[in-house]
Amino acid sequence: MIWLILFSFSITLLDVFKLKGKADLSEDELQQKTLDMLKDFVRIPDLKKASCCVVELCNEQNVEAYVLTAINHALELSSQNDRILIGKLLCHLVMESIISDEQFYKG
Protein backbone atom coordinates (compact mmCIF):
# COMPACT_ATOMS: atom_id res chain seq x y z
CA MET A 1 0.00 0.00 0.00
CA ILE A 2 2.78 2.44 0.92
CA TRP A 3 4.62 1.55 -2.28
CA LEU A 4 1.50 2.43 -4.31
CA ILE A 5 1.23 5.81 -2.59
CA LEU A 6 4.93 6.56 -3.23
CA PHE A 7 4.58 5.45 -6.86
CA SER A 8 1.58 7.69 -7.48
CA PHE A 9 3.41 10.57 -5.75
CA SER A 10 6.43 10.12 -8.03
CA ILE A 11 4.18 10.16 -11.11
CA THR A 12 2.62 13.39 -9.85
CA LEU A 13 6.08 14.93 -9.46
CA LEU A 14 6.99 13.91 -13.00
CA ASP A 15 3.86 15.63 -14.28
CA VAL A 16 4.82 18.80 -12.39
CA PHE A 17 8.18 18.94 -14.18
CA LYS A 18 6.85 18.29 -17.69
CA LEU A 19 7.74 21.11 -20.03
CA LYS A 20 4.53 22.97 -20.84
CA GLY A 21 5.64 25.76 -23.17
CA LYS A 22 3.73 26.84 -26.25
CA ALA A 23 4.63 25.00 -29.44
CA ASP A 24 4.09 28.12 -31.56
CA LEU A 25 6.62 30.29 -29.70
CA SER A 26 9.09 31.76 -32.19
CA GLU A 27 12.83 31.47 -31.65
CA ASP A 28 13.11 35.25 -31.17
CA GLU A 29 10.31 35.26 -28.57
CA LEU A 30 11.91 32.34 -26.74
CA GLN A 31 15.28 34.06 -26.75
CA GLN A 32 13.85 37.34 -25.41
CA LYS A 33 11.79 35.63 -22.71
CA THR A 34 14.80 33.52 -21.73
CA LEU A 35 17.01 36.60 -21.39
CA ASP A 36 14.35 38.42 -19.34
CA MET A 37 13.96 35.41 -17.06
CA LEU A 38 17.72 35.04 -16.61
CA LYS A 39 18.10 38.74 -15.76
CA ASP A 40 15.39 38.36 -13.10
CA PHE A 41 17.05 35.20 -11.80
CA VAL A 42 20.45 36.88 -11.45
CA ARG A 43 18.81 39.73 -9.56
CA ILE A 44 16.76 37.39 -7.29
CA PRO A 45 18.30 33.89 -7.43
CA ASP A 46 15.27 31.73 -6.63
CA LEU A 47 15.80 28.27 -8.17
CA LYS A 48 12.20 27.14 -7.59
CA LYS A 49 10.72 30.18 -9.32
CA ALA A 50 13.22 29.97 -12.19
CA SER A 51 12.50 26.25 -12.61
CA CYS A 52 8.77 26.95 -12.83
CA CYS A 53 9.44 29.63 -15.43
CA VAL A 54 11.45 27.18 -17.53
CA VAL A 55 8.66 24.58 -17.28
CA GLU A 56 6.09 27.15 -18.43
CA LEU A 57 8.30 28.64 -21.16
CA CYS A 58 9.91 25.61 -22.79
CA ASN A 59 8.64 22.52 -24.55
CA GLU A 60 10.40 19.40 -25.79
CA GLN A 61 11.17 21.06 -29.15
CA ASN A 62 12.68 24.33 -27.92
CA VAL A 63 14.38 23.47 -24.63
CA GLU A 64 17.75 23.07 -26.38
CA ALA A 65 17.47 26.65 -27.66
CA TYR A 66 16.78 27.75 -24.07
CA VAL A 67 19.98 26.03 -22.89
CA LEU A 68 22.00 27.58 -25.73
CA THR A 69 20.65 31.06 -24.96
CA ALA A 70 21.36 30.63 -21.24
CA ILE A 71 24.94 29.51 -21.84
CA ASN A 72 25.63 32.30 -24.34
CA HIS A 73 24.16 34.86 -21.96
CA ALA A 74 26.30 33.54 -19.09
CA LEU A 75 29.42 33.84 -21.24
CA GLU A 76 28.56 37.45 -22.08
CA LEU A 77 28.09 38.50 -18.45
CA SER A 78 30.91 40.43 -16.81
CA SER A 79 30.17 39.23 -13.29
CA GLN A 80 31.62 35.85 -12.37
CA ASN A 81 28.94 35.50 -9.69
CA ASP A 82 26.18 35.91 -12.31
CA ARG A 83 27.82 33.30 -14.54
CA ILE A 84 27.99 30.90 -11.61
CA LEU A 85 24.32 31.49 -10.80
CA ILE A 86 23.24 30.64 -14.35
CA GLY A 87 25.42 27.53 -14.21
CA LYS A 88 23.73 26.54 -10.95
CA LEU A 89 20.33 27.03 -12.55
CA LEU A 90 21.22 24.80 -15.51
CA CYS A 91 22.67 22.19 -13.16
CA HIS A 92 19.51 22.33 -11.05
CA LEU A 93 17.32 21.83 -14.11
CA VAL A 94 19.25 18.69 -15.05
CA MET A 95 19.48 17.33 -11.49
CA GLU A 96 15.73 17.75 -10.99
CA SER A 97 15.04 16.08 -14.37
CA ILE A 98 13.30 19.15 -15.71
CA ILE A 99 15.58 18.88 -18.71
CA SER A 100 17.38 15.70 -19.68
CA ASP A 101 21.12 15.25 -20.01
CA GLU A 102 20.62 14.84 -23.75
CA GLN A 103 18.67 18.10 -24.05
CA PHE A 104 21.39 19.86 -22.09
CA TYR A 105 24.19 18.47 -24.28
CA LYS A 106 22.35 19.32 -27.50
CA GLY A 107 21.82 22.87 -26.27
Side-chain angles (χ1 to χ4, degrees), residues 13-14 16-19 55 60 90-101 103:
L13 283 177
L14 289 175
V16 168
F17 293 137
K18 263 188 197 168
L19 298 174
V55 167
E60 296 295 324
L90 291 171
C91 182
H92 174 78
L93 294 173
V94 172
M95 296 300 289
E96 295 296 319
S97 300
I98 297 170
I99 62 176
S100 69
D101 294 342
Q103 291 168 322

Side-chain angles (χ1 to χ4, degrees), residues 69-103:
T69 301
I71 290 172
N72 284 336
H73 181 64
L75 292 172
E76 292 171 357
L77 292 172
S78 59
S79 167
Q80 182 177 0
N81 187 48
D82 292 351
R83 290 191 300 269
I84 290 171
L85 281 173
I86 292 176
K88 285 182 180 180
L89 172 61
L90 291 171
C91 182
H92 174 78
L93 294 173
V94 172
M95 296 300 289
E96 295 296 319
S97 300
I98 297 170
I99 62 176
S100 69
D101 294 342
E102 184 179 335
Q103 291 168 322

